[in-house]
Amino acid sequence: MLTSLAIRNVVLIEALDLGFAAGLGVLTGETGAGKSILLDSLGLVLGDRADTGLVRAGTDLASVTATFEFATLPDAIRTALTEAEIEIEPGEALIIKRRVRADGGSRAFINDQPVGVALLRELSRYLVELHGQHDDRGLVNARGHRALLDRYAQADTGAVTQAWQRWSRTGAELEQARALVAAARADEELLTAHLAELTKLEPVVGEEAELAAQRADMQKGERLSADLVALQVLWEGSDSALAGMRSAARRLDRIATEHPLLAEALAALDRAVIEAGEAEDLLGAAMDALTHDPLLLDRIETRLFELRAAARKHACAADDLPAKMLDMRAALDAIVGGDADIARLERASHDAALDYQAKAEALSVLRAEAARRLDTAVAAELAPLKLDAARFRTAVVRLPDDRWGPNGVDAIEFLISTNPGSAFAPLGKIASGGELSRFILALKVALAEQGGAATVIFDEIDRGVGGAVASAIGERLHRLAGGGQLLAVTHSPQVAARGTNHFLIAKSSEGIVTRTSVALLNAAGRQEEIARMLSGAEITPEARAQADRLLEQA
């Protein structure tokens, strides 16, 4: 629930710190005192548009900080925070801050971490439910009616959701299997021909690179053949340079002992003969490696052309051709085994559909029964709220098949008729501001503990009524606040007297400076404020006595 609200430089509020408790809190004050400023300030932390007109004149920055505390953090809030990567410890308060600059722009923070305004709007559904003259969310929004009715009916919607997911999953698998078989059949003849071509080709991974390397070596041999032959002539035969070196070495060997220098010359010549011999061997090996075989080169080039042509045809690399063959075989196999698989999936989808429909039908019956009970409960609340001629109906409408979903087969909406004989219509379409607030109050009382936001605010729900109707409103607000926190902006002394906490909103002026202040009233202050609400500008003893009676009755 909302435990504190700190406002700085918002319109007429310079600095204000408010603390709130559980139960019914009432806010009163003269018209124009600034009650709307409080609601606008709270709206900022709930993600409303950051209007620069809210920034107090003469200042650059307005800020609002709201603190919410929970015995146990609701799962929906925890999930939203986790998705936003915001960690909150058990028992830790949720602190939302919004800053608005006079020159435009705003920033939002949750527990000092910057966040987007969209997250504030998402959390607002679980934090504060506001009902007033221009209510556009909460119970007026038909999108939430189904969940409210399901909670009222204590329905297990999870089973329907799971059945829908199972049906959707099997249906998707069935459609995928059908598409695969249909595509395979359409291309069966072409697939067979392509597979036959590749089977005949027998591509191997890495073959293209190996053939390309062999071809490159043979092409090199073709270019170098003339040089290699010329070199071979220099090294081979009795007249070759190497033969001459060997003959010289033999002659020198016979006279090398005659002088040390001859021995050294022989050693050098022997080394040269050895190096030349190694060169001859290497030259021979190179000639073997680079031998140009025209027939082999032709075969290699033909194979490379076939591999690369097949790769272009199938829009892949040559090394991917074996995988293409496997895909083609799998596609052809799918035609053979596809019908059996489709039959299996059809049975599974049919069974899942029957299971979903059975669970959804049972939920629909439960909703219809709960709708009748809710209609009766709301009807009992309308007469005391001066809505005698009005009627309330919970519409449970069967959806067409193509709109069934995880929430069942029904559309749920709360409808009203404000006058005898008039047609039923959505809450927000035909009810006036005061009627709408009282309808919502009747609904909230009827729904009682069926969930909703942690804090509920009613803005001038008692507008245009008094006497017994105002008393009935006050009694219901007090009863409704017993299970949580409810704040009511009111002009009715009967409602104000029911409050657990009473805040007085006042406006004061000093020269050209106007300020709005809010004070938590004690017992004497409450008596005086309720007396003022009863009598107007001049508070009479009779008004104070009447105020005491209202407080005693509360």
Side-chain angles (χ1 to χ4, degrees):
M1 69 176 184
L2 177 67
T3 56
S4 69
L5 186 66
I7 304 173
R8 300 291 183 270
N9 297 323
V10 176
V11 194
L12 300 179
I13 298 176
E14 184 174 5
L16 183 63
D17 294 283
L18 294 174
F20 299 95
L24 175 61
V26 295
L27 297 91
T28 65
E30 296 182 357
T31 300
K35 294 184 288 294
S36 63
I37 300 175
L38 285 177
L39 297 181
D40 288 341
S41 299
L42 187 57
L44 278 177
V45 297
L46 298 176
D48 287 354
R49 187 174 69 88
D51 187 352
T52 56
L54 293 173
V55 182
R56 180 177 170 81
T59 62
D60 298 326
L61 181 71
S63 70
V64 181
T65 304
T67 301
F68 296 87
E69 297 183 25
F70 304 89
T72 301
L73 191 68
D75 291 340
I77 295 179
R78 183 176 296 281
T79 298
L81 293 176
T82 300
E83 290 177 352
E85 298 183 352
I86 297 175
E87 297 295 330
I88 184 167
E89 298 296 329
E92 183 181 359
L94 182 66
I95 303 172
I96 304 177
K97 179 182 289 186
R98 186 88 180 275
R99 295 174 178 170
V100 182
R101 299 190 62 82
D103 58 1
S106 71
R107 296 192 67 190
F109 304 85
I110 293 180
N111 290 17
D112 293 327
Q113 296 188 51
V115 297
V117 176
L119 179 58
L120 302 189
R121 294 195 190 102
E122 183 179 356
L123 293 177
S124 69
R125 294 182 295 164
Y126 312 106
L127 296 175
V128 176
E129 188 177 313
L130 175 62
H131 303 294
Q133 300 298 304
H134 305 289
D135 193 341
D136 62 350
R137 51 184 163 184
L139 294 180
V140 172
N141 193 332
R143 285 181 296 179
H145 293 176
R146 176 196 51 76
L148 286 169
L149 181 63
D150 286 344
R151 284 197 293 267
Y152 184 78
Q154 297 183 341
D156 178 15
T157 59
V160 173
T161 301
Q162 291 175 2
W164 167 262
Q165 292 170 344
R166 185 164 52 252
W167 184 22
S168 299
R169 184 176 62 254
T170 55
E173 291 172 353
L174 174 60
E175 290 306 311
Q176 183 180 18
R178 284 172 173 166
L180 287 173
V181 170
R185 280 207 175 96
D187 298 333
E188 182 176 6
E189 184 176 342
L190 186 61
L191 280 172
T192 302
H194 285 170
L195 182 58
E197 290 176 356
L198 292 178
T199 301
K200 182 178 180 181
L201 184 62
E202 295 183 317
V204 177
V205 175
E207 182 183 10
E208 182 195 26
E210 183 180 347
L211 290 174
Q214 289 179 14
R215 184 182 68 169
D217 288 342
M218 295 183 75
Q219 287 173 336
K220 288 178 185 177
E222 187 177 15
R223 291 198 311 271
L224 299 174
S225 60
D227 292 332
L228 291 173
V229 169
L231 285 170
Q232 190 176 26
V233 170
L234 292 175
W235 289 103
E236 292 181 351
S238 57
D239 296 331
S240 68
L242 181 57
M245 290 175 64
R246 287 172 175 159
S247 177
R250 286 194 296 271
R251 286 192 177 191
L252 187 58
D253 182 55
R254 289 196 294 270
I255 62 174
T257 57
E258 301 297 328
H259 194 279
L261 291 176
L262 293 175
E264 289 181 16
L266 177 61
L269 187 58
D270 285 342
R271 289 196 298 272
V273 170
I274 292 171
E275 292 288 340
E278 291 178 356
E280 182 182 27
D281 294 340
L282 291 172
L283 180 60
M287 290 183 69
D288 291 339
L290 296 173
T291 297
H292 172 225
D293 182 349
L295 293 177
L296 179 59
L297 178 59
D298 183 62
R299 288 197 298 272
I300 289 174
E301 288 184 333
T302 300
R303 180 65 175 175
L304 272 175
F305 176 81
E306 292 174 344
L307 286 172
R308 289 173 177 174
R312 285 194 301 273
K313 184 175 184 178
H314 296 287
C316 66
D319 283 349
D320 294 333
L321 290 173
K324 280 285 183 182
M325 293 176 64
L326 293 177
D327 291 342
M328 292 176 186
R329 287 195 180 98
L332 291 171
D333 290 343
I335 298 173
V336 178
D339 289 337
D341 194 40
I342 287 174
R344 178 186 63 79
L345 288 171
E346 283 176 340
R347 289 192 299 272
S349 181
H350 178 71
D351 292 344
L354 292 179
D355 181 56
Y356 168 77
Q357 291 174 38
K359 288 181 169 63
E361 291 290 351
L363 176 60
S364 187
V365 171
L366 193 62
R367 285 170 171 167
E369 294 172 350
R372 287 191 289 270
R373 296 199 310 273
L374 180 59
D375 292 351
T376 301
V378 173
E381 297 292 333
L382 296 180
L385 297 175
K386 203 178 178 180
L387 294 168
D388 313 62
R391 293 174 296 156
F392 174 85
R393 175 184 296 169
T394 304
V396 181
V397 180
R398 178 79 169 218
L399 291 168
D401 296 2
D402 60 353
R403 293 183 57 196
W404 292 357
N407 297 315
V409 297
D410 308 302
I412 313 294
E413 187 170 13
F414 299 149
L415 306 175
I416 60 171
S417 169
T418 54
N419 297 298
S422 62
F424 282 89
L427 283 174
K429 294 291 180 66
I430 62 173
S432 66
E435 287 176 330
L436 179 59
S437 295
R438 281 179 279 150
F439 261 113
I440 290 170
L441 178 58
L443 253 176
K444 292 294 289 185
V445 172
L447 290 168
E449 300 295 328
Q450 304 308 318
T455 299
V456 179
I457 299 176
F458 280 94
D459 182 17
E460 299 188 2
I461 189 175
D462 48 20
R463 180 185 291 269
V465 301
V469 177
S471 295
I473 291 174
E475 188 276 329
R476 281 157 177 76
L477 289 175
H478 181 76
R479 191 195 330 161
L480 193 58
Q485 183 185 55
L486 191 150
L487 302 175
V489 177
T490 180
H491 289 289
S492 169
Q494 291 91 340
V495 173
R498 288 282 186 171
T500 307
N501 301 288
H502 191 152
F503 297 91
L504 174 62
I505 305 172
K507 184 167 63 175
S508 61
S509 298
E510 297 178 8
I512 61 171
V513 178
T514 302
R515 293 184 176 87
T516 290
S517 62
V518 182
L520 178 62
L521 300 179
N522 56 21
R526 292 191 68 193
Q527 182 214 42
E528 196 72 5
E529 171 61 7
I530 293 173
R532 181 199 64 77
M533 297 170 74
L534 287 164
S535 64
E538 182 180 350
I539 301 176
T540 63
E542 291 79 6
R544 290 189 177 93
Q546 178 64 17
D548 286 337
R549 284 193 290 273
L550 287 176
L551 289 168
E552 288 173 1
Q553 292 171 2

